[in-house]
Amino acid sequence: MNIIDGKQIAKDLRIKIANEVKTLKRPPGLAVILVGEDSASAVYVRNKELACKEAGFFSDKIIKSENTTEEQLLEEVERLNNNPHIDGILVQLPLPSHINANKVIEHISPLKDVDGFHSENIGKLMQNKSHLRPCTPKGVMTILSSIDCTVMGMNCVVIGASNIVGRPMAMELLNARGTVTICNSKTKDLAGVVSRADIVVVGVGIPEMVKGDWVKDGAIVIDVGINRLEDGRLVGDVDFDAIKEKAGAITPVPGGVGPMTIATLLENTLIAYKQSL
Ligand code: GUN
């Protein structure tokens, strides 16, 4: 079967974490802050809370109104930075436009930055010295190792250069000694670049942008996109039906990368807990 079961890989990781949590003196604590009423964000935050409870973590969900000021949010982060029951702090993005998201991220203690978005943690990722690595790219690396995919020496193509996915993803693959090409939706001859890839990771937010005839036979295709079409269907950034016949392995949407992001968030919170001892 060349369809990667991200749900199962995530479940295995969550069970491993839950078993470790049972041996700890106190539960690891994760605080998730949600500002405003973005409905997709509300679903993500609820799923994070459920996963925390299931793994035996202490979970603090902090809901703030849309008109919360930047200063109030910074004060909340400060309180959590100083709270000894909280090991990880996650501010759900996107934030309302009157708040400078970067300023908020930089205010989170790097030791509690379980998203791995603080410049100190991103800097450490660049130097291959990190403790807290962004969840989605780290989750993709867990998927690759769980299917015994060798990264060393492989041609890796990352499409999308966002701070959350593309840039840290490229660095993860480089740290694993892949040969990495970072593209975006405007890259010249993107199909040609993709056709030389052994591993393709796509996170651009364009429904089914990567076509079946772009991908080399046997390539590993990781789809980080999640797009809701007008007819209600949920699709990724790659044309799954066309590619699944050719790919060595491919992640579905949903049920591929998404569940790994949350499991990796728990993994990061456990790492933050351990480094606080
Ligand atoms: N919004 C979409 N993905 C993410 C993520 O990984 N972390 C946070 N904090 N917000 C997000």
Side-chain angles (χ1 to χ4, degrees), residues 32-33 41 44 48 89-94 105 115 117 134-137 164-165 261 265:
V32 178
I33 306 179
S41 289
Y44 293 141
K48 285 167 187 167
I89 303 168
L90 181 146
V91 179
Q92 185 66 33
L93 303 175
I105 290 167
D115 257 329
F117 294 164
C135 298
T136 300
I164 295 183
V165 178
T261 298
L265 176 66

Coordinates of all heavy atoms in Angstrom, one line a residue, residues 32-33 41 44 48 89-94 105 115 117 134-137 164-165 261 265, ligand 1:
V32 N -2.9 26.9 25.0 CA -3.2 27.3 23.6 C -4.1 28.5 23.7 O -5.1 28.6 24.4 CB -4.0 26.2 22.9 CG1 -4.3 26.6 21.5 CG2 -3.1 24.9 22.8
I33 N -3.6 29.6 23.0 CA -4.4 30.8 23.0 C -5.0 31.0 21.6 O -4.4 30.9 20.6 CB -3.4 32.1 23.3 CG1 -2.6 31.9 24.6 CG2 -4.3 33.3 23.3 CD1 -1.7 33.0 24.9
S41 N -9.5 27.8 12.9 CA -8.7 27.8 14.0 C -9.4 27.2 15.3 O -8.7 26.5 16.0 CB -8.3 29.3 14.4 OG -7.4 29.8 13.4
Y44 N -9.1 23.5 15.1 CA -7.7 23.0 15.4 C -7.5 23.1 16.9 O -6.9 22.2 17.5 CB -6.6 23.9 14.7 CG -6.6 23.9 13.2 CD1 -6.4 25.0 12.4 CD2 -6.8 22.7 12.5 CE1 -6.4 24.9 11.0 CE2 -6.7 22.6 11.2 CZ -6.5 23.7 10.4 OH -6.5 23.7 9.0
K48 N -6.5 20.1 19.5 CA -5.3 20.1 20.3 C -5.7 19.8 21.7 O -5.0 19.0 22.4 CB -4.6 21.4 20.1 CG -3.9 21.6 18.8 CD -3.4 23.0 18.5 CE -2.9 23.1 17.1 NZ -2.7 24.5 16.6
I89 N 3.6 26.9 25.1 CA 2.6 27.9 24.8 C 2.5 28.0 23.3 O 3.5 28.0 22.6 CB 3.2 29.3 25.3 CG1 3.5 29.3 26.8 CG2 2.2 30.4 24.9 CD1 4.2 30.5 27.3
L90 N 1.2 27.9 22.9 CA 1.0 28.0 21.4 C -0.1 29.1 21.2 O -1.1 29.1 21.8 CB 0.4 26.7 20.9 CG 0.1 26.6 19.4 CD1 0.4 25.2 18.9 CD2 -1.3 26.9 19.1
V91 N 0.3 30.1 20.4 CA -0.7 31.1 20.0 C -1.2 30.7 18.6 O -0.4 30.7 17.7 CB 0.0 32.5 20.0 CG1 -1.1 33.6 19.6 CG2 0.5 32.9 21.4
Q92 N -2.4 30.4 18.5 CA -3.0 30.0 17.2 C -2.9 31.1 16.2 O -3.4 32.2 16.5 CB -4.4 29.4 17.4 CG -5.0 28.8 16.2 CD -4.4 27.5 15.7 OE1 -3.9 26.8 16.5 NE2 -4.3 27.3 14.4
L93 N -2.4 30.8 15.0 CA -2.3 31.8 13.9 C -3.4 31.4 12.9 O -3.8 30.2 12.8 CB -0.9 31.7 13.3 CG 0.2 32.0 14.2 CD1 1.6 31.8 13.5 CD2 0.2 33.4 14.8
P94 N -3.9 32.3 12.1 CA -3.6 33.7 12.1 C -4.2 34.5 13.2 O -5.2 34.1 13.8 CB -4.2 34.2 10.8 CG -5.3 33.3 10.5 CD -4.9 32.0 11.1
I105 N 5.0 36.2 18.9 CA 5.8 35.0 18.9 C 7.1 35.2 19.6 O 7.6 34.4 20.4 CB 6.0 34.5 17.4 CG1 4.7 34.0 16.8 CG2 7.1 33.5 17.3 CD1 4.7 33.8 15.3
D115 N 5.7 25.6 19.2 CA 5.6 25.7 17.8 C 6.9 25.8 17.1 O 7.0 25.6 15.9 CB 4.8 27.0 17.5 CG 3.3 26.7 17.1 OD1 3.0 25.7 16.5 OD2 2.5 27.6 17.4
F117 N 8.5 28.5 16.5 CA 8.5 29.7 15.6 C 9.4 30.9 16.1 O 9.6 31.8 15.3 CB 7.1 30.2 15.4 CG 6.1 29.3 14.7 CD1 4.7 29.5 14.8 CD2 6.6 28.2 14.0 CE1 3.8 28.6 14.2 CE2 5.7 27.4 13.3 CZ 4.3 27.6 13.4
P134 N 9.6 23.3 14.5 CA 8.2 23.5 14.1 C 7.5 22.1 13.8 O 8.1 21.2 13.2 CB 8.3 24.3 12.8 CG 9.6 25.1 13.1 CD 10.5 24.2 13.8
C135 N 6.2 22.0 14.3 CA 5.6 20.7 14.4 C 5.3 20.1 13.0 O 5.5 18.9 12.9 CB 4.2 20.9 15.1 SG 4.4 21.5 16.8
T136 N 4.8 20.8 12.1 CA 4.4 20.2 10.8 C 5.7 19.6 10.1 O 5.7 18.4 9.7 CB 3.6 21.2 9.9 OG1 2.4 21.5 10.6 CG2 3.2 20.5 8.6
P137 N 6.7 20.4 9.9 CA 7.9 19.8 9.2 C 8.5 18.7 10.0 O 8.9 17.6 9.4 CB 8.9 21.0 9.1 CG 8.0 22.2 9.2 CD 6.9 21.8 10.1
I164 N 5.9 28.7 8.5 CA 5.4 27.6 9.2 C 5.7 26.3 8.6 O 6.0 25.3 9.3 CB 3.8 27.7 9.4 CG1 3.4 28.9 10.2 CG2 3.2 26.5 10.0 CD1 1.9 29.1 10.5
V165 N 5.7 26.2 7.3 CA 5.9 24.9 6.6 C 7.2 24.9 5.7 O 8.2 24.2 6.0 CB 4.7 24.5 5.7 CG1 5.0 23.2 5.0 CG2 3.4 24.4 6.6
T261 N 0.8 16.7 12.9 CA 1.1 18.1 13.5 C 0.8 18.1 15.0 O 1.5 18.5 15.8 CB 0.4 19.2 12.7 OG1 0.9 19.1 11.4 CG2 0.7 20.5 13.3
L265 N 3.1 18.2 18.3 CA 2.9 19.3 19.3 C 3.0 18.7 20.7 O 3.7 19.3 21.6 CB 1.6 20.0 19.1 CG 1.2 21.0 20.1 CD1 2.1 22.2 20.0 CD2 -0.3 21.5 19.9
Ligands
GUN1 N1 -2.1 27.9 12.2 C1 -1.9 27.0 11.2 N2 -0.9 26.1 11.5 C2 -0.4 26.5 12.7 C3 0.6 26.0 13.6 O1 1.3 25.0 13.3 N3 0.8 26.7 14.8 C4 0.0 27.8 15.1 N4 0.3 28.4 16.2 N5 -0.9 28.3 14.3 C5 -1.1 27.6 13.1

